[in-house]
Amino acid sequence: MEADTLALAHEIDFSFWGLFARATLIVKLVMIMLIIASFWSWSIIVMKLLVYKKARAESAEFDQAFWSGEPLDALYETTGPAPSVSSEKIFAAGMTEWRRSHRDDGGLIAGATSRIDRSMDVAINKEADYLRGGLTVLATVGSSAPFIGLFGTVVGIMNAFIEIAEQQNTNLAVVAPGIAEALLATGLGLLAAIPAVIFYNKLSADCDKILSGYESFADEFATILSRQLDG
């Protein structure tokens, strides 16, 4: 009898596709949901790594041009009022407001400093929204995927016990497939959640560093304009 049970267990397909095909509809939906969440997370991770790398390179390039000694008006003419680079957008926002703050007689309209600061803050906030876009998805996947997988596990184990009760048989060939399907759901949940949590923390830190650099530049630029105002 034991030999027959082992022989029957060996005939069962325990591959991923075999377990998926044998799972119930609810467990299949859970697995599909977790697989989609995993691919979605990885697409965001790869995209953000590339975006942040590009942002750091562009910021370093613009800083070099900004501190090269080139006149600000000449640099503004080069970047234009609507540049595509994040650092240049902040600079352009400040310079645009700086130029708007001059009267026809060459004097400055009152409150120019605060308006320049607000203009650059608005530009930084827009860049922050762009850089942080998608990170909430990673946070959601990282926090919810294990519980979604656990739900699939509970359903799978419940179905396994129902099958045991219906067949009045607790041998390995009856118990193993249902338990394996249930554990697969847990594994997929962890597979989606672990990278999402790790890269959410990393990307959040990288994003904060980039935004901190933008804010530092805005403060330094505002200081330069303030000196010209005082002069």
Side-chain angles (χ1 to χ4, degrees), residues 36 85 89 146 189 201 207 211 219:
I36 292 174
V85 177
K89 288 180 181 179
N201 293 330
C207 181
L211 293 176
D219 291 340

Side-chain angles (χ1 to χ4, degrees), residues 174-188:
V174 174
V175 176
I179 300 299
E181 295 158 16
L183 294 178
L184 179 60
T186 299
L188 290 174

Side-chain angles (χ1 to χ4, degrees), residues 38 42 45 138 190-200:
S38 181
W42 277 109
I45 289 168
L138 296 182
L190 295 176
L191 185 65
I194 292 173
V197 171
I198 293 174
F199 280 98
Y200 171 78

Side-chain angles (χ1 to χ4, degrees), residues 23-45:
T24 60
L25 177 61
I26 295 178
V27 178
K28 283 181 179 177
L29 291 176
V30 168
M31 291 181 183
I32 292 172
M33 186 185 304
L34 292 173
I35 292 172
I36 292 174
S38 181
F39 277 106
W40 192 8
S41 296
W42 277 109
S43 65
I44 292 173
I45 289 168

